[in-house]
């Protein structure tokens, strides 16, 4: 919709996680899209790009780290979409791998409403 | 009219060489071919050895497929250690393969659900969705009564949201009481509790 | 049932989630009206009084409900020029890309699998003749395969009824068919000769390999019916049957993202298609 809303693509295979982010982000004035794994996210983004991404690590077919690597190899503007990686994995290895693949931020789940909204506002510029 | 033509020769078949490929070959194409040909239980241990050394994502995928085709608890067992490796894409490959062999993965689930590593328990919850069968809801309900980690409970609740019925209601509320401060878990349990209430099919007849 | 929305937003997303995981069909919000009408039909057919009770039935696949919903949602009936945006993509993008990397003079090979009663491969032949100015400059081979030898025999005979031809203009029907009865038309001999029909099970490597390497494969409306293991095997067989850089096209509701990471997704103006990478990926 051409109403100037910022679009966030949630890339997570967990239905309830997507629902949780969606409710928060819609209340904060974002438009929300969903993908269940990295491959689906790439496909979605090729059709219509997003302004920001929230990316899980463990997902079927293509994990979040491989996805970010593939995204950053795409042409602009896709390659430059800012990404918040959220995961239950808190090991230093995962954080380092996510950063090396192109994550802008890494947040260990759970993530509360205010924190999520703050990250997205930072990525998109605060929505009206 | 057309330059389109029908070829009835078998020239195309000449492209393919027929020689037994080896899982230990230096060529990824040969290893891929060897993995694809190895779909007999006698191959489990050589597939397992190959998996441990394989660096090519495509060949690894073919090895996982071969193990999924064999589909015995033993072939599933060869995959289990790859649920705990550092490389996320290997973990994904392992889980996708286990999802593709639900009956073979099932006997391993009770052990995985009490694994000392919380990350493995989270992945195990996800496997219950496809591989848990009729025991799935009971296993996950038992888990969320005692599981100390909120993120593991959240993974279990996610799957309960798809496989549980109204019987899961009480254990969901007890779990919610144990983690009053986790915003996501509180949300997830509320959604699932509403869902299982609504979805219990009315008795037929 | 009322005209209003059958499912609330969350129910719709859960249904899509389930269908995606189970079949690889990917429906977005834009397809909601279409999907809801199909679900409504299935709810009436199964006597389900609420979405919740229908969904419970679907999830345990009671009386093959998954396949019945797939059939309702994909129109399990093949016809000429079905999903022709992919044929547009074939002539405006995929063949050009293939010609750029192929040695000059090599035959362009196209595979329609499953081809069912032949509408798809004959459509490709007609489309090329009609819409590809370079058709005379290249050799193109069209191979068409299906597991079912009855449909192959029908395909070889090349006789079609009105419904199969509904998307073709009278001009095209007149140009490529002759009347074979009050309600039937037969495709011209030249076209029948231009497609080679073979029996093949896409899940059997021994049956796919002898077909050799293709530049473009149409594999539409088949993988959605498979379980995970069969889908993986089929994807690997498709990969092996493609020349590096070759393309595979799935049905309009199908997404490779649920099936296999072996391919790269490519977006062209008219279609999303998948490509066997030119260089093998490592790591
Ligand atoms: C719905 S039709 C699709 C026809 C056409 N591609 C289209 O989209 O209009 C499905 C076809 O798949 C064939 N089929 C089913 N299993 C198959 C298999 N394992 N290998 C090859 N073909 C198969 C069936 O015989 C049937 O003709």
């Amino acid at each position: 919709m051409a109403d100037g809303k910022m679009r966030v693509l949630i890339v997570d295979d967990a239905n309830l996680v997507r629902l949780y982010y969606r409710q928060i982000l819609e209340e904060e004035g974002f438009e929300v899209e969903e993908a269940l794994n990295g491959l689906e996210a790439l496909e979605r983004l090729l059709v219509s790009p997003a302004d920001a991404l929230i990316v899980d690590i463990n997902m079927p077919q293509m994990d979040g780290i491989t996805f970010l690597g593939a995204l950053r190899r795409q042409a602009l503007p896709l390659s430059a979409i800012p990404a918040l990686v959220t995961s239950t994995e808190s090991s230093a290895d995962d954080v380092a791998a996510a950063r090396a693949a192109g994550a802008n931020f890494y947040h260990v789940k759970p993530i509360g409403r205010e924190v999520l909204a703050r990250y997205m506002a930072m990525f998109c510029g605060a929505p009206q | 009219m057309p330059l389109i033509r029908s070829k009835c020769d078998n020239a195309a078949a000449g492209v393919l060489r027929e020689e037994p490929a080896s899982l230990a070959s230096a060529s990824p194409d040969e290893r891929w071919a060897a993995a694809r040909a190895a779909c007999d239980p006698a191959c489990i241990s050589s597939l397992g050895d190959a998996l441990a050394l394989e660096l090519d994502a495509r060949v690894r995928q073919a090895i996982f497929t071969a193990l999924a085709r064999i589909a015995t608890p033993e072939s599933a067992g060869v995959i289990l250690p790859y649920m705990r490796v550092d490389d996320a894409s290997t973990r994904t490959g392992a889980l996708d393969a286990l999802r593709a062999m639900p009956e073979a993965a099932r006997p391993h689930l009770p052990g995985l659900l009490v694994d000392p590593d919380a990350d493995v328990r989270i992945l195990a919850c996800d496997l219950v969705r496809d591989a848990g069968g009729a025991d799935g809801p009971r296993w996950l309900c038992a888990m969320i009564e005692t599981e100390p980690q909120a993120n593991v409970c959240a993974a279990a609740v996610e799957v309960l949201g798809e496989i549980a019925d109204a019987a899961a209601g009480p254990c969901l509320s007890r779990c919610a009481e144990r983690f009053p401060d986790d915003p996501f878990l509180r949300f997830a349990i509320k959604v699932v509790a509403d869902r299982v209430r609504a979805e219990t099919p009315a008795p037929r007849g | 049932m009322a005209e209003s929305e059958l499912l609330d937003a969350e129910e719709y997303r859960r249904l899509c989630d389930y269908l995606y995981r189970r079949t690889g069909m990917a429906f977005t919000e834009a397809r909601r009206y279409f999907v809801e009408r199909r679900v409504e039909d299935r709810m009436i057919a199964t006597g389900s009084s609420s979405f919740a009770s229908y969904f419970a039935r679907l999830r345990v696949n009671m009386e093959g409900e998954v396949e019945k919903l797939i059939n309702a949602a994909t129109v399990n009936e093949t016809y000429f020029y079905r999903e022709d945006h992919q044929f547009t993509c074939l002539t405006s993008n995929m063949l050009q890309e293939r010609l750029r990397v192929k040695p000059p003079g090599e035959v362009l090979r196209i595979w329609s699998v499953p081809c069912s009663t032949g509408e798809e491969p004959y459509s490709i032949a007609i489309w090329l003749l009609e819409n590809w100015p370079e058709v005379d400059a290249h050799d193109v081979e069209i191979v068409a395969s299906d597991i079912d030898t009855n449909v192959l025999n029908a395909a070889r005979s090349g006789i079609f009824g009105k419904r199969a031809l509904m998307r073709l203009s009278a001009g095209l029907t007149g140009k490529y068919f002759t009347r074979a009865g009050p309600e039937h038309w037969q495709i011209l001999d030249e076209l029948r000769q231009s497609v080679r029909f073979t029996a093949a099970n896409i899940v059997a490597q021994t049956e796919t390999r002898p077909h050799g390497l293709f530049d473009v494969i149409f594999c539409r409306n088949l993988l959605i019916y498979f379980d995970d293991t069969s889908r993986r095997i089929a994807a690997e067989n498709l990969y092996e049957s493609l020349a590096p850089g070759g393309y595979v096209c799935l049905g309009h509701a199908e997404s490779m993202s649920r099936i296999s990471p072996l391919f790269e997704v490519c977006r062209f103006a008219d279609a999303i298609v998948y490509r066997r990478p030119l260089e093998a990926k490592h790591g």
Side-chain angles (χ1 to χ4, degrees):
Chain A
M1 250 157 265
D3 55 4
K5 281 188 181 176
M6 292 293 185
R7 290 184 63 230
V8 178
L9 177 68
I10 304 168
V11 191
D12 196 310
D13 62 327
N15 174 292
L16 297 172
V17 174
R18 293 196 311 277
L19 186 62
Y20 175 70
Y21 294 162
R22 171 185 281 277
Q23 290 193 350
I24 294 174
L25 293 174
E26 284 182 347
E27 281 169 30
E28 298 286 333
F30 293 92
E31 191 180 318
V32 176
E33 295 260 342
E34 305 181 7
L36 276 69
N37 65 45
L39 287 175
E40 197 194 3
L42 281 176
E43 208 167 309
R44 284 275 153 96
L45 289 171
L46 285 173
V47 176
S48 58
D51 298 298
L53 303 168
I54 306 175
V55 182
D56 184 25
I57 291 196
N58 287 315
M59 294 181 285
Q61 302 300 336
M62 185 189 271
D63 66 275
I65 290 171
T66 307
F67 161 69
L68 283 174
L71 182 76
R72 298 301 181 224
R73 285 192 299 275
Q74 298 282 320
L76 285 167
L78 280 199
S79 60
I81 304 174
L84 166 68
V85 171
T86 62
S87 177
T88 52
E89 313 246 342
S90 50
S91 73
D93 277 349
D94 276 299
V95 182
R99 282 211 202 290
N104 300 72
F105 289 95
Y106 189 98
H107 193 102
V108 178
K109 290 176 181 179
I111 182 164
R113 162 183 295 265
E114 292 74 25
V115 179
L116 184 67
R118 205 167 336 119
Y119 276 120
M120 290 305 114
M122 185 162 46
F123 285 167
C124 297
Q128 50 283 61
Chain B
M1 156 180 61
L3 263 171
I4 298 174
R5 56 172 200 191
S6 170
K7 281 205 312 187
C8 291
D9 58 12
N10 49 5
V15 179
L16 303 155
R17 288 174 304 150
E18 288 295 349
E19 60 191 48
S22 159
L23 280 166
S25 160
S27 142
D29 287 337
E30 302 251 326
R31 298 200 300 280
W32 152 278
R36 297 215 61 208
C39 46
D40 183 275
C43 304
I44 292 176
S45 73
S46 52
L47 285 167
D49 295 345
L51 194 52
L53 299 172
E54 187 56 65
L55 294 175
D56 186 293
R58 178 175 64 103
V59 179
R60 206 165 48 219
Q61 188 74 8
I63 297 175
F64 280 136
T65 302
L67 289 164
R69 277 179 94 160
I70 295 169
T72 61
E74 295 70 40
S75 74
V78 168
I79 297 175
L80 298 184
Y82 295 89
M83 290 171 66
R84 51 181 101 242
V85 297
D86 283 337
D87 175 53
S89 79
T90 306
R91 288 197 301 266
T92 286
L95 281 160
D96 284 339
L98 291 168
R99 282 191 200 97
M101 47 193 318
E103 312 289 332
R106 187 166 307 147
H108 298 291
L109 291 182
L112 290 171
L113 289 170
V114 297
D115 193 278
D117 182 343
D119 290 330
V120 171
R121 296 200 295 281
I122 288 174
L123 299 177
C125 290
D126 195 71
L127 286 176
V128 171
R129 179 201 333 262
D130 295 307
D135 292 324
R138 194 167 49 79
W139 286 342
L140 294 180
C141 281
M143 179 186 217
I144 64 171
E145 299 273 14
T146 54
E147 169 60 49
Q149 295 255 345
N151 280 334
V152 182
C153 289
V157 169
E158 162 81 24
V159 175
L160 281 171
E162 288 175 50
I163 63 173
D165 60 23
C171 77
L172 284 168
S173 24
R174 284 193 291 274
C175 181
E177 282 161 23
R178 291 199 298 128
F179 299 98
D181 300 325
D182 186 299
F184 172 67
L185 192 53
R186 205 168 51 225
F187 168 87
I189 289 180
K190 172 156 185 349
V191 173
V192 172
D194 290 349
R195 225 182 242 180
V196 295
R197 240 195 321 277
E199 237 163 61
T200 305
R204 297 208 290 164
Chain C
M1 221 148 289
E3 269 296 292
S4 66
E5 283 175 355
L6 180 69
L7 315 180
D8 68 30
E10 196 208 325
E11 286 172 332
Y12 178 69
R13 283 194 295 268
R14 285 181 68 206
L15 175 76
C16 290
D17 252 44
Y18 177 79
L19 285 177
Y20 180 73
R21 283 188 211 275
R22 175 74 201 239
T23 70
M25 290 195 289
F27 294 112
T28 56
E29 194 58 33
R31 302 278 289 167
R32 175 141 167 202
Y33 181 80
F34 170 82
V35 174
E36 281 193 358
R37 296 289 77 79
R38 304 289 86 74
V39 168
E40 186 175 353
D41 293 345
R42 292 306 309 153
M43 282 176 60
I44 292 168
T46 55
S48 308
S49 56
S50 67
F51 172 69
S53 67
Y54 176 71
F55 195 45
R57 177 186 193 92
L58 183 68
R59 283 194 324 210
V60 298
N61 196 19
M62 191 188 286
E63 292 162 19
E65 187 54 35
V66 173
E67 185 172 337
K68 288 175 186 161
L69 182 60
I70 294 175
N71 286 344
T74 56
V75 187
N76 180 30
E77 184 183 291
T78 186
Y79 48 87
F80 278 86
Y81 276 25
R82 181 176 193 183
E83 292 166 40
D84 58 4
H85 61 101
Q86 288 185 342
F87 301 147
T88 308
C89 181
L90 176 71
T91 44
S92 33
N93 303 107
M94 290 189 273
L95 292 181
Q96 310 304 331
E97 290 290 321
R98 293 305 300 147
L99 287 170
R100 280 197 316 129
V101 298
K102 279 172 84 80
E106 231 181 57
V107 180
L108 280 165
R109 304 188 72 233
I110 300 174
W111 196 11
S112 163
V113 55
C115 65
S116 188
T117 35
E119 288 84 343
E120 184 177 288
Y122 289 133
S123 294
I124 296 170
I126 296 176
W127 185 275
L128 291 179
L129 293 171
E130 288 293 315
N131 299 293
W132 198 36
E134 291 171 54
V135 67
D136 287 324
H138 305 284
D139 285 341
V140 181
E141 182 190 4
I142 301 174
V143 181
S145 309
D146 201 285
I147 197 174
D148 178 346
T149 52
N150 291 323
V151 296
L152 288 171
N153 287 334
R156 285 191 191 100
S157 80
I159 297 174
F160 299 96
K162 263 218 286 282
R163 287 178 64 88
L165 299 173
M166 65 194 169
R167 300 253 351 251
L168 290 185
S169 66
L172 287 182
T173 311
K175 186 165 168 191
Y176 293 106
F177 295 81
T178 52
R179 256 204 127 88
E183 296 283 322
H184 289 88
W185 287 261
Q186 182 164 37
I187 198 155
L188 293 187
D189 253 12
E190 282 109 312
L191 281 171
R192 283 170 59 201
Q193 304 307 326
S194 76
V195 177
R196 179 158 63 98
F197 289 97
T198 69
N201 176 357
I202 201 169
V203 187
Q205 190 189 21
T206 49
E207 297 177 26
T208 55
R209 280 183 90 175
H211 290 81
L213 297 181
F214 291 90
D215 294 291
V216 181
I217 301 178
F218 288 85
C219 181
R220 309 198 295 186
N221 303 308
L222 173 60
L223 302 183
I224 40 180
Y225 293 98
F226 287 176
D227 67 12
D228 271 352
T229 302
S230 307
R231 258 199 289 262
R232 288 178 77 110
I233 299 168
E236 290 175 5
N237 287 340
L238 288 172
Y239 182 97
E240 276 185 0
S241 303
L242 279 176
Y247 298 95
V248 55
C249 305
L250 301 178
H252 75 288
E254 296 175 276
S255 170
M256 192 64 94
S257 67
R258 172 64 186 88
I259 297 172
S260 171
L262 289 170
F263 304 89
E264 300 168 337
V265 58
C266 301
R267 188 200 169 189
F268 291 116
D270 299 286
I272 294 265
V273 300
Y274 305 90
R275 176 170 59 200
R276 171 173 170 170
L278 265 175
E279 308 253 314
K281 280 187 277 186
H282 292 272

